[in-house]
Amino acid sequence: MNTSTAKGWGLTGTEWLICAIAAIGFAFDTYELLMLPLIVGPALGELIHARPGTPEYADWVGLLFFVPAVFGGIFGLLGGYLTDRFGRRRVLTWSILLYAFSALASGFATSVYWLLVFRCSTFVGVCVEFVAATAWLAELFSDPKQRERVLGYTQAFGSVGGIMVTFAYYFCVTHSAELPAIYGAHTAWRYTLISGIVPAIPLIIIRPFLPESPIWHQKKLAGTLRRPSIGELFAPTYRRTTIVTTVMFACAFGAAFGAIQHMPRIVPGIAEVAALAPAARQQAVSAVQSYQEFGGLLGRLLLAVLAVRIVSRRSLLWIFQLPGLFVVPIVFYFAADGSLSWAKWGIFFAGLFTVSQFSFWGNYLPRMYPTYLRGTGESFAANVGGRMIGTFAAWVTPQLATSMPGAPARQLAYAAALIALLVYVGGVLASFALEEPKQTELPE
């Protein structure tokens, strides 16, 4: 597909189809991941009868957040290698099918251990999909401005996925009694997990019409496609990029998993929410979650608009990173003691400044590695830095919370504020070493 002369969007029908599948993939990446903050409390209450504030509850929350991320990081790194070896489209397809059917299976988990297993396989699919999709899109659109727009706006659907899961959970909470019983009960958390099967349906139908990356395919046919190597990421040419992006990915994910994703467990401890009936409390949690996702969506859209207007990648990142350094820790420090409105608008801006950074990396990384190393390089930063190191904050925060003063919600809020401050400081400091791309075209 040669779009080097295209102006603006100027997409063909096939190109729109490609963008649609990529957008669905990005949307359900987030959809699958953000299920857990919404359902973890009810799921643990049913499966092991654990309650917030107990050591058992804190341990399992940490395990359900962190262990799948480790598995996702390990197999996601392998997926990046396979993306470079066997093609972007093939790996993209199988990764979406993996996380969709894993989400379906998790809704029927009979124990917390099976829930953990299926969350691990779901995470593996999500981690692989991001890398395959960004490499695929970057190589399909050769015009630099068009490529930036396509990557920016399709990744914005990641936040649409967060909005979708929020409303899906709200629907399941509100209408669970009308849905078929699972193991004799009408539990909203199971229906929410099962809804993750949705992206497999359009993919199965559309898959035959999706082209492979022309750059990768041509090199493969010509026999000039070099074998990818993780070790080469640390050769002098790529070492700085690899190390800096891995650290910064870890910091961005640390803010998301160490702070933002704990807000659904802080909200029930807010005084005005605690006074509500159980169903109303769950609806309040969904409302706060929706504010986070609308904030994240606005951040991703702003980044997509600014990416084609601001040449310096570091300056583009600082527009979101520097305000977040102050806003996010303050939001969480006062989260449990403030009002429901404070939680809603606070998480809106926390989502805006943090989630936008995920889209930044999808635009930045494809420009830093050549074709044979693109998937592997993206995967190392995203999966080793983001999934394996950054999400460790999901385990650290509930453990740290037990040493904080106050009720469980206040303890969690203080711990999240501290983690947010630390990872934002680390990300800002690392950004001074971020390399600027040497050209607007993708490296061959």
Side-chain angles (χ1 to χ4, degrees):
M1 296 171 61
N2 182 7
T3 61
S4 60
T5 60
K7 301 297 181 183
W9 284 97
L11 303 182
T12 66
T14 300
E15 290 167 340
W16 278 114
L17 189 64
I18 290 165
C19 291
I21 285 296
I24 291 171
F26 287 133
F28 276 87
D29 280 3
T30 307
Y31 189 97
E32 308 288 5
L33 296 182
L34 292 186
M35 283 180 180
L36 189 59
L38 294 169
I39 64 91
V40 66
L44 290 178
E46 178 179 333
L47 295 175
I48 60 172
H49 309 293
R51 294 292 178 264
T54 63
E56 183 183 25
Y57 183 88
D59 288 343
W60 272 106
V61 168
L63 288 171
L64 285 168
F65 272 101
F66 180 58
V67 173
V70 172
F71 274 82
I74 294 170
F75 287 95
L77 182 59
L78 175 62
Y81 176 86
L82 295 176
T83 297
D84 287 334
R85 286 282 287 126
F86 299 109
R88 286 55 165 126
R89 182 190 61 178
R90 182 183 302 175
V91 175
L92 172 71
T93 300
W94 284 107
S95 64
I96 293 177
L97 293 176
L98 174 61
Y99 74 59
F101 284 99
S102 295
L104 172 66
S106 64
F108 293 92
T110 54
S111 72
V112 71
Y113 296 101
W114 276 116
L115 179 61
L116 180 60
V117 167
F118 290 127
R119 285 301 297 175
C120 286
S121 57
T122 300
F123 226 110
V124 168
V126 167
C127 292
V128 174
E129 192 278 338
F130 170 79
V131 172
T134 51
W136 188 54
L137 288 174
E139 293 171 358
L140 283 167
F141 298 92
S142 57
D143 177 76
K145 289 190 175 181
Q146 190 180 58
R147 182 179 65 244
E148 294 288 341
R149 290 190 183 97
V150 166
L151 282 168
Y153 286 107
T154 54
Q155 287 182 96
F157 277 82
S159 291
V160 173
I163 296 168
M164 289 163 56
V165 75
T166 299
F167 283 104
Y169 183 66
Y170 183 90
F171 176 86
C172 293
V173 168
T174 306
H175 300 282
S176 59
E178 304 164 22
L179 298 172
I182 300 175
Y183 303 131
H186 299 269
T187 46
W189 68 269
R190 291 188 183 275
Y191 303 126
T192 305
L193 286 168
I194 290 169
S195 67
I197 189 64
V198 172
I201 300 170
L203 182 67
I204 291 171
I205 298 171
I206 297 173
R207 163 64 175 81
F209 304 100
L210 300 177
E212 181 54 89
S213 159
I215 298 173
W216 181 90
H217 189 60
Q218 289 165 10
K219 288 181 175 291
K220 182 71 173 179
L221 290 178
T224 58
L225 186 68
R226 295 173 56 185
R227 183 180 292 271
S229 166
I230 294 175
E232 192 168 348
L233 298 178
F234 294 92
T237 304
Y238 307 113
R239 183 187 303 131
R240 178 177 166 185
T241 295
T242 299
I243 293 173
V244 172
T245 56
T246 299
V247 169
M248 295 185 69
F249 238 117
C251 291
F253 270 75
F257 281 79
I260 289 176
Q261 289 208 28
H262 292 289
M263 185 62 91
R265 297 198 294 121
I266 296 172
V267 171
I270 298 173
E272 65 182 279
V273 178
L276 300 174
R281 283 200 297 271
Q282 290 182 324
Q283 290 171 345
V285 169
S286 294
V288 172
Q289 185 82 353
S290 70
Y291 272 71
Q292 173 201 315
E293 295 309 321
F294 279 114
L297 175 59
L298 178 59
R300 288 182 185 268
L301 291 174
L302 286 173
L303 187 135
V305 171
L306 296 173
V308 296
R309 292 169 170 79
I310 298 176
V311 175
S312 168
R313 300 294 92 177
R314 190 183 298 115
S315 297
L316 174 63
L317 181 61
W318 280 346
I319 289 174
F320 303 94
Q321 197 181 46
L322 294 178
L325 172 62
F326 300 97
V327 170
V328 180
I330 291 172
V331 165
F332 280 91
Y333 186 81
F334 293 104
D337 298 312
S339 64
L340 182 58
S341 294
W342 170 269
K344 287 177 178 178
W345 287 107
I347 202 66
F348 176 89
F349 286 103
L352 188 157
F353 295 126
T354 302
V355 176
S356 55
Q357 295 179 47
F358 300 147
S359 284
F360 171 84
W361 297 114
N363 285 60
Y364 174 85
L365 285 168
R367 294 175 60 183
M368 304 305 293
Y369 296 101
T371 303
Y372 76 96
L373 206 57
R374 187 163 292 126
T376 307
E378 292 178 29
S379 183
F380 192 93
N383 292 306
V384 175
R387 315 292 187 180
M388 297 176 67
I389 300 175
T391 55
F392 183 64
W395 182 85
V396 172
T397 299
Q399 300 302 317
L400 182 61
T402 60
S403 62
M404 294 292 177
R410 185 178 290 111
Q411 290 177 316
L412 186 58
Y414 288 163
L418 179 57
I419 294 298
L421 177 63
L422 293 175
V423 297
Y424 256 97
V425 168
V428 170
L429 292 176
S431 70
F432 287 93
L434 187 70
E435 287 189 291
E436 295 288 347
K438 295 180 174 61
Q439 58 191 36
T440 56
E441 303 293 338
L442 296 181
E444 289 294 327

